[in-house]
DNA sequence: GTGAAAGCGCTAACAC
DNA sequence: GTGTTAGCGCTTTCAC
């Protein structure tokens, strides 16, 4: 095995052993000095640190990880469910991911990202966890994988999920109170003059289903007719056509629309204009998320805000606590009605 | 050292050695069977595979990585430059990231994401590379780190960068021909009737500088006065105010605006409306990127398209080739003018 | 406070 | 075709 020879070119300090030789101490001491714990003579430590800096030495994380049985990496999984492939650019998830990256970095963890297509790979979650590359996992969105996540949660503690909360569920979830959000949305539509409300989106997706249910609650309580569902995919290409079809089919039969996301609301606004329907005078519109786009539509969008940054912080905080052995509860964040000009 | 005992609960198959015991063969054989290479007796292989499946066994990637001196992980670094912190949700980068994730997965690699703040950590790139956790790195955006990237490129081959190409540069880059894009934008503005053109954005950022230069080329060639620069940050909060200020200051002195990105164009549209300026009759507007939002502004945005998916594919393809030892050239993708209604 | 030595779980010569 | 063995680079007892 002559592998090592060329790799360790003259003078290169690649391993803790190289550094030990240079410092005239044993590898063990270098390890202790660099880890910053255990007792090490101050002078020895300084010398080693200086040498490490000088040679830009970094201990190999793989080796360290193998020995310590932890990797310093948190996995982030984005399941792409039935509505596959297009969530590619779903703004909400991507924004959440950005915040997660910042928060994990702050806590000294690296982030391993995996987008998974559950229908192609039923064991996506077990495989991610079992890879040995991650200390814990954050799942962004339950998609249609609620049951699978529940199954895994029984045997694996280091997991936190962004999504909807369900009575008695076993996995630890962080998410907005979607049902309450839906209620706020519907109430606002009504306050703005709507009487015949429709929900635009795919209620098969857990979170959307809860938003719809909340709207339904409000409608019932206010004595209105039930909220109508206008099933719509999330991908812009399909959504536009679907929305247009819905608007044509329901012409004159609805005067308030609650969309599952702001992205859909923006598209809906475009289609409403195309149909010659005035917003908010002819039709009131409320979105969900309060993404940056909500401020830029014409007119600006009334919507239900989710606090993404707080969500990311909570996800990381709960996960770290679980890594420390704690059994944490789920966290439900309050939605907030943001009134702009569409309702 | 009694660590192992409880971890290997009765019956649990955690290591290749456990599996070997079960199969009645040696660990080496299991390794070979699972790796799918080398000669292994068909029956032995089947038996081992069956056992592995049954116990949901996966070889530990850390250990395998350490031994083979490769990790199967590609690092993706997003440097947050002077315009720090807010690019958090820059749609363009996030979309590119999504495509990269898909493409890397397709090629059997995992993705490790790091957002870095160069001013807080000068050695961000060396550290990422030196961590021992990644086989190669893709840098998304040069930000203001061009020189640092150049330095690293001299000694490290497994790196590809998304960004702007500069005559004689040493790092391998994939990116759109920004200068050409800028020229197309300016030419379109002129074709739509503009005579006094402004560039809205921060020309300190490499790619934006090139876009501006392209517009300047066109203006000069067409005998117009030089393109005016309206410096503007990317973050929505700051951008809106800055744009409003620019519009007030330049009232009546410009009739065509080329923005550095679609995001800025969307904000600009809002501010133009607030100023009572008609688009495109009073002021023509052209963006850059062709993000989904470009189709949804009112009126829909004329813009310069970058082919993000093709970019992601190229980044991964070039990186893999470099991993295989090849010395690859940079790749410049052609921009495309998309005419909608703002110019 | 430091050195020696035993592995973490895996792979790849090298034998047979 | 398969077993044996020697590490990958690091951390952590256990001695001293």
């Amino acid at each position: 095995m002559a592998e090592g020879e060329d790799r360790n070119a003259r003078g290169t300090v690649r391993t803790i052993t190289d550094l030990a030789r240079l410092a005239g101490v044993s590898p063990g001491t270098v390890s202790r000095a660099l880890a910053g714990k255990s007792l090490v003579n101050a002078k020895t430590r300084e010398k080693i640190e200086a040498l490490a800096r000088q040679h830009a030495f970094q201990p190999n994380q793989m080796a360290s990880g193998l020995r310590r049985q932890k990797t310093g990496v948190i996995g982030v999984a984005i399941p792409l469910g039935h509505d596959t492939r297009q969530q590619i650019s779903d703004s909400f998830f991507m924004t959440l991911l950005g915040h997660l990256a910042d928060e994990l970095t702050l806590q000294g963890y690296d982030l391993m990202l995996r987008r998974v297509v559950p229908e192609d790979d039923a064991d996506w979650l077990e495989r991610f966890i079992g890879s040995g590359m991650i200390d814990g996992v954050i799942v962004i969105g339950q998609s249609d994988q609620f049951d699978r996540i529940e199954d895994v949660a029984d045997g694996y503690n280091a997991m936190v999920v962004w999504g909807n909360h369900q009575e008695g569920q076993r996995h630890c979830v962080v998410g907005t109170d979607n049902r309450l959000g839906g209620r706020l949305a519907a109430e606002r539509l009504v306050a703005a003059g709507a009487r015949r409300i429709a929900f635009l989106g795919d209620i098969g997706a857990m979170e959307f289903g809860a938003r719809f249910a909340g709207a339904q609650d409000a409608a019932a309580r206010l004595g209105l007719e039930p909220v109508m569902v206008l099933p719509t995919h999330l991908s812009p290409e399909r959504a536009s056509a679907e929305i247009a079809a819905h608007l044509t089919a329901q012409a004159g039969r609805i005067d308030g629309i609650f969309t599952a996301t702001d992205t859909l609301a923006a598209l809906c606004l475009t289609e409403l204009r195309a149909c010659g329907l005035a917003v908010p005078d002819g039709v009131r519109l409320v979105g969900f998320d309060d993404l940056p786009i909500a401020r830029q539509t014409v007119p600006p969008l009334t919507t239900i805000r989710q606090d993404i940054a707080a969500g990311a912080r909570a996800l990381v905080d709960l996960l770290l606590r679980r890594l420390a052995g704690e059994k944490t509860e789920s966290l439900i964040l309050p939605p907030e009605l943001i009134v702009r000009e569409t309702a």
Side-chain angles (χ1 to χ4, degrees), chain A:
Chain A
M1 203 173 296
E3 290 177 17
E5 286 168 20
D6 56 335
R7 229 189 298 116
N8 193 355
R10 57 171 186 74
T12 310
V13 178
R14 276 188 334 102
T15 74
I16 225 170
T17 311
D18 295 340
L19 201 62
R21 197 163 23 236
L22 244 60
V25 296
S26 76
T29 303
V30 173
S31 172
R32 285 186 281 254
L34 260 32
K37 41 198 203 182
S38 324
L39 291 314
V40 178
N41 181 299
K43 280 201 173 137
T44 321
R45 158 167 284 136
E46 275 169 35
K47 185 177 186 178
I48 293 174
E49 279 172 349
L51 242 28
R53 223 172 306 118
Q54 182 185 334
H55 293 272
F57 172 78
Q58 289 181 80
N60 182 313
Q61 279 200 58
M62 283 255 154
S64 152
L66 178 57
R67 175 61 237 237
R68 300 187 0 223
Q69 298 291 89
K70 52 178 59 174
T71 65
V73 181
I74 298 297
V76 174
I78 307 189
L80 307 174
H82 38 45
D83 212 356
T84 318
R85 287 271 148 235
Q86 34 52 35
Q87 295 168 343
I88 272 184
S89 53
D90 181 295
S91 304
F92 179 81
F93 284 177
M94 285 291 146
T95 307
L96 183 55
L97 177 62
H99 286 279
L100 280 177
D102 287 344
E103 194 58 28
L104 285 171
T105 305
L106 205 64
Q107 304 287 344
Y109 280 91
D110 265 313
L111 185 167
M112 186 135 139
L113 180 66
R114 241 187 228 196
R115 319 175 89 239
V116 292
V117 181
E119 36 188 80
D120 296 354
D121 176 12
D123 298 329
W124 60 276
L125 189 47
E126 289 88 338
R127 288 162 62 120
F128 201 14
I129 291 169
S131 71
M133 287 289 277
I134 59 177
D135 291 341
V137 64
I138 294 174
V139 179
I140 305 194
Q142 292 148 327
S143 180
D144 51 2
Q145 299 290 301
F146 191 91
D147 295 336
R148 183 168 304 279
I149 296 173
E150 283 285 90
D151 290 347
V152 170
D154 294 333
Y156 184 72
N157 196 44
M159 173 171 75
V160 179
V161 179
W162 173 271
N164 196 58
H165 183 78
Q166 203 132 72
E167 192 65 40
Q169 76 176 56
R170 287 157 289 155
H171 66 264
C172 177
V173 77
V174 173
T176 303
D177 187 336
N178 289 297
R179 189 149 186 165
L180 174 55
R183 217 177 67 207
L184 296 175
E187 286 171 357
R188 176 64 205 173
L189 285 171
V190 174
R195 290 297 170 268
R196 286 151 305 156
I197 299 178
F199 177 83
L200 199 150
D202 170 14
I203 61 170
M206 202 119 254
E207 289 148 281
F208 298 170
R211 290 171 198 177
F212 164 69
Q216 196 64 282
D217 293 345
R221 203 171 47 76
L222 296 170
L224 303 182
E225 23 179 318
V227 173
M228 176 186 300
V229 178
L230 308 177
T232 309
H233 289 87
L234 244 39
S235 62
E237 310 84 54
R238 305 176 71 172
S240 291
E242 291 169 346
I243 295 172
H246 288 316
L247 293 181
T248 308
Q250 307 302 333
R253 299 175 47 194
I254 50 182
D255 56 9
I257 301 179
F258 170 33
T259 62
T261 71
D262 282 353
T263 319
L264 284 178
L267 291 169
C268 189
L269 215 38
T270 306
E271 297 305 327
L272 284 166
R273 184 183 344 271
C275 294
L277 289 167
V279 177
D281 297 334
V283 177
R284 293 99 196 135
L285 182 65
V286 174
F288 207 104
D289 286 344
D290 196 27
L291 297 177
I293 195 183
R295 250 173 296 196
Q296 293 176 51
T297 55
V298 185
L301 195 61
T302 292
T303 190
I304 307 295
R305 158 178 277 168
Q306 305 200 65
D307 189 341
I308 307 186
R313 272 195 305 274
L315 284 166
V316 172
D317 177 54
L318 290 177
L319 184 60
L320 295 194
R321 291 218 228 132
R322 289 188 150 244
L323 249 27
E326 210 174 308
K327 277 269 176 195
T328 64
E329 291 298 315
S330 289
L331 179 67
I332 312 297
L333 301 167
E336 182 190 358
L337 172 68
I338 306 290
V339 177
R340 296 206 179 87
E341 301 174 24
T342 57

